[in-house]
Amino acid sequence: MTSQMLLSQAVSLHQDGRLAEADQLYRQILTQSPGDYPARYRLALSLFQQQRHDEAIAAIAAALAIDPQAAEAWLLKGALSAASGQQERALADFDRALAIDPGFPRALYNRALALVGLGRLADAVESFDRLLAVMPAFAEAWTDRGGVLQGMGRLSDALASHDRAIALKPDHAPAWFNRGIALQLLGRFDQALESFDKTLILMPRHVAAWRGRASALVGLERIADAIVSFDKALEIVPGDLEILQQRAAAQEAAKRTTEIPAGLEEVDAWYKRATMFHVTQRLADSLDALDRALAILPDYPPALNLKGAVLCEARRVPEGLEVYRSHAEVVYGNKPLAQTYDPPHKQRHDAEQRAYLAAHGINDQGFHLEAGARIQGPAVNPANAEEIARRWRESKPQIVVIDNLLTEAALEAVRLFCWGSTIWQRPYEKGYLGAVPARGFACPLLGQIADELRDVFPTVIGEHGLGLMWGFKYDSSLSGIPMHADQAAVNVNFWITPDDANRNPDGGGLVVWDVKAPQDWNFDRYNADVPGIRAFLEKAGAKPIVIPHRANRAVIFDSDLFHETDRIEFKDGYLNRRINVTMLYGRRTFHGG
């Protein structure tokens, strides 16, 4: 029998799964013809499929010695490297395969997976995109691509990728499941529930889908139904501690929703009255109505939240922040901070913060607020007062940059408050986290700064009250806040992260355009319609003003000016995370319909 006949018989056995018999024939061929590449390659492939990796490595090395330009052999060598945990070597092998055959689908797919293993998510997406340009109907690749985009916090893009997979392969359960996760992270719980239900039709014992379904139901406040789904998961994995803990938390939530405090109807009436007065800027009347509500129910969260806002706008900022802090302790003091559906960028941050707190002797993983006490002496540096007043008066549009905004003592104290307080609880799709007063971004020091800004820069802030305040904390390389304008009169934005954290000293700050939002635009249009904003700015011939990140630098500008976060290139590590504090004074002069 000729070598070709033996090879044909061996391949047939191989395809039938009779690997040991195929191996015997491959070895027989190689005894007769040691330089037979197909037999060498297929023997290596068979050994790999049998998980006899050491033998397979030797066999594929011998095959490459015969034909170093065999792309399929480099692919198999890469798969063996990946199987042994050597992702960098695997990546190099896949790149060798692609250097020989740039459109080799399996090499592109495995290259993308290796990049995921190395944590190089953006490069992995690029590799998936190259693959899908060659094989646009590869449903599994669309699903895997979506999973990587979710890991980057690009949830809308991830959702679109999962939808492509489902359009190609409607019974692909992993795509339905990952679609459910993306929708849940976007807060679209009803649609997430539909996706988890579809997953469970296809895979009834998918534990993670039962848990995802339960979490979506919690988001929809259907607590009793959520508990049933947790129970279904526990039928599959009895005694799973994490599921039991989530189920117990859902039971507690169910108790809270059924406990209706006495006098709630009267409290709600006073609260609605206060809201009406606040909208019309009758602040004293609003406070009076809120005090009446809180006299009945002192811990009524909506009234506490609104009272904090009204006091701040009434230029009683320290009192307002104290009320906000009380609200945070009432609402979040006993609530688990970490959620199983938190996006990866929040999970990374929370793990880093727990390590930071533990290093400072704080091992309790519950809600924690640093004191953030007022400092002795000034918090806002008064040295630039006259110069800033002149520049504000002369600038068109009105925008000024201030270095050394805070005194050194105030800057360090703000950093400690932001690093140590577990207030960074709102994740945003682009990859940053938000902290607001109602969730604890409230301390005496921030009140001192807000008041002193008005005192030091009276012609800039004017008589405006503090309308809104927040902090944002960013991932080292994910996106920041997209282009928008704000519902205010004056924006004060300052950065507190040390300069050496920024890999690009010419960027990492803020981009402000020199054209204002039209007065007849409503909030949704000037705050969220990014394509519409860009089209408007292009038509208006607007020019961007780039303000690089600097520690203790402030940018104060007319709130009608469109702005966005500049590209972020910061070092990894908890203390290197970019943090900005924003204070909005006054209200926009016109409310579009």
Side-chain angles (χ1 to χ4, degrees):
M1 188 178 292
T2 66
S3 295
Q4 188 58 45
M5 293 172 65
L6 284 172
L7 181 63
S8 178
Q9 185 177 346
V11 170
S12 180
L13 291 167
H14 194 158
Q15 291 173 342
D16 288 342
R18 298 162 64 182
L19 301 184
E21 295 172 70
D23 286 357
Q24 289 180 351
L25 292 181
Y26 291 140
R27 294 183 192 280
Q28 185 178 336
I29 295 167
L30 291 169
T31 300
Q32 299 171 4
S33 305
D36 190 308
Y37 167 79
R40 288 282 181 196
Y41 167 74
R42 294 202 64 87
L43 175 61
L45 179 61
S46 175
L47 292 167
F48 172 68
Q49 291 168 337
Q50 297 172 68
Q51 298 187 8
R52 295 161 62 181
H53 289 172
D54 290 343
E55 296 173 76
I57 289 169
I60 200 63
L64 284 165
I66 297 167
D67 185 0
Q69 293 301 305
E72 62 184 0
W74 284 110
L75 171 65
L76 180 54
K77 184 174 183 295
L80 284 160
S81 297
S84 62
Q86 301 178 67
Q87 297 293 347
E88 289 282 5
R89 181 175 292 180
L91 182 62
D93 293 334
F94 298 139
D95 283 340
R96 287 290 297 269
L98 290 165
I100 298 164
D101 182 358
F104 190 5
R106 285 185 294 155
L108 286 167
Y109 185 58
N110 281 277
R111 181 180 189 272
L113 297 179
L115 288 163
V116 173
L118 291 167
R120 293 169 53 183
L121 302 187
D123 292 335
V125 172
E126 182 271 338
S127 201
F128 278 123
D129 287 344
R130 286 173 59 188
L131 166 64
L132 290 165
V134 178
M135 294 183 66
F138 191 171
E140 288 79 3
W142 282 108
T143 301
D144 291 336
R145 178 181 181 271
V148 175
L149 290 165
Q150 279 173 221
M152 299 171 69
R154 293 170 55 186
L155 300 178
S156 296
D157 293 335
L159 184 60
S161 201
H162 296 317
D163 285 343
R164 285 291 297 271
I166 290 166
L168 291 164
K169 193 174 181 180
D171 61 349
H172 187 42
W176 283 107
F177 173 72
N178 282 301
R179 182 178 188 270
I181 295 295
L183 287 163
Q184 188 159 260
L185 293 172
L186 288 166
R188 292 156 63 178
F189 299 115
D190 52 345
Q191 294 171 280
L193 180 62
E194 292 174 2
S195 285
F196 291 131
D197 283 344
K198 182 64 176 181
T199 307
L200 290 164
I201 290 171
L202 298 167
M203 296 182 67
R205 293 181 62 80
H206 194 308
V207 177
W210 281 113
R211 292 174 61 187
R213 185 178 194 275
S215 295
L217 287 164
V218 170
L220 292 168
E221 299 184 0
R222 292 168 54 186
I223 307 299
D225 293 336
I227 292 171
V228 172
S229 284
F230 282 129
D231 287 341
K232 289 286 189 181
L234 289 167
E235 287 177 13
I236 303 168
V237 285
D240 186 285
L241 181 60
E242 189 171 356
I243 298 175
L244 286 166
Q245 289 173 335
Q246 290 174 299
R247 186 184 187 281
Q251 286 180 309
E252 287 300 313
K255 289 179 185 177
R256 288 195 296 272
T257 58
T258 57
E259 293 171 355
I260 302 175
L264 183 58
E265 290 184 5
E266 184 180 355
V267 170
D268 191 55
W270 281 115
Y271 169 72
K272 289 176 178 175
R273 185 179 177 87
T275 301
M276 178 191 68
F277 286 138
H278 181 232
V279 169
T280 56
Q281 291 187 285
R282 293 171 58 180
L283 303 183
D285 292 332
S286 182
L287 285 172
D288 179 67
L290 288 166
D291 285 341
R292 289 174 180 269
L294 291 168
I296 302 168
L297 279 179
D299 289 341
Y300 185 55
L304 287 172
N305 188 23
L306 183 57
K307 185 175 181 181
V310 176
L311 285 167
C312 286
E313 192 168 1
R315 299 179 58 179
R316 295 164 60 182
V317 178
E319 296 173 72
L321 296 188
E322 184 178 347
V323 173
Y324 270 132
R325 196 173 176 109
S326 297
H327 172 274
E329 289 169 347
V330 167
V331 177
Y332 303 104
N334 297 315
K335 181 179 179 181
L337 296 178
Q339 304 292 334
T340 57
Y341 49 80
D342 279 339
H345 69 271
K346 183 176 185 300
Q347 294 181 34
R348 284 194 299 272
H349 166 271
D350 291 352
E352 290 178 2
Q353 185 172 54
R354 286 193 295 272
Y356 168 85
L357 290 172
H360 289 78
I362 302 170
N363 292 299
D364 180 5
Q365 295 186 10
F367 185 66
H368 176 75
L369 287 179
E370 289 290 309
R374 292 176 64 94
I375 64 168
Q376 295 294 320
V380 176
N381 190 341
N384 296 324
E386 292 185 10
E387 174 65 13
I388 295 306
R390 180 189 64 78
R391 284 162 48 193
W392 180 261
R393 185 174 59 252
E394 296 175 357
S395 63
K396 292 190 185 335
Q398 287 185 306
I399 175 170
V400 293
V401 178
I402 307 171
D403 286 319
N404 300 313
L405 174 75
L406 304 179
T407 60
E408 286 299 319
L411 175 62
E412 184 60 24
V414 172
R415 284 174 175 164
L416 292 174
F417 175 75
C418 290
W419 289 336
S421 300
T422 56
I423 52 180
W424 308 96
Q425 293 303 311
R426 182 177 178 184
Y428 289 79
E429 178 185 351
K430 296 293 184 182
Y432 51 94
L433 304 175
V436 293
R439 284 180 173 259
F441 191 66
C443 64
L445 176 59
L446 289 172
Q448 181 181 0
I449 292 169
D451 279 348
E452 289 187 17
L453 283 169
R454 185 185 297 105
D455 295 340
V456 175
F457 307 115
T459 60
V460 178
I461 308 298
E463 295 300 310
H464 296 303
L466 180 67
L468 295 170
M469 180 176 73
W470 58 72
F472 282 124
K473 190 186 285 193
Y474 302 76
D475 203 89
S476 60
S477 58
L478 297 181
S479 300
I481 302 168
M483 189 185 298
H484 68 287
D486 286 305
Q487 168 56 284
V490 179
N491 277 42
V492 179
N493 182 91
F494 61 91
W495 301 299
I496 65 172
T497 306
D499 287 341
D500 60 7
N502 185 9
R503 294 182 184 276
N504 178 15
D506 295 326
L510 195 67
V511 181
V512 184
W513 270 258
D514 61 355
V515 173
K516 295 183 181 183
Q519 286 293 298
D520 60 350
W521 281 23
N522 64 18
F523 180 83
D524 287 341
R525 194 171 180 190
Y526 66 70
N527 193 262
D529 181 12
V530 175
I533 293 169
R534 291 197 184 280
F536 165 76
L537 291 175
E538 183 176 355
K539 184 176 180 180
K543 295 180 175 58
I545 302 165
V546 179
I547 302 101
H549 176 280
R550 294 288 185 276
N552 208 14
R553 169 174 283 179
V555 187
I556 304 181
F557 56 97
D558 185 327
S559 300
D560 272 339
L561 294 173
F562 290 111
H563 54 284
E564 67 180 331
T565 308
D566 198 5
R567 182 177 177 181
I568 297 170
E569 299 177 61
F570 277 55
K571 296 177 183 176
D572 292 332
Y574 185 64
L575 301 187
N576 292 323
R577 285 177 175 269
R578 180 189 188 275
I579 299 175
N580 70 270
V581 176
T582 298
M583 297 179 176
L584 302 186
Y585 291 86
R587 299 190 185 187
R588 197 168 192 249
T589 55
F590 178 83
H591 298 270

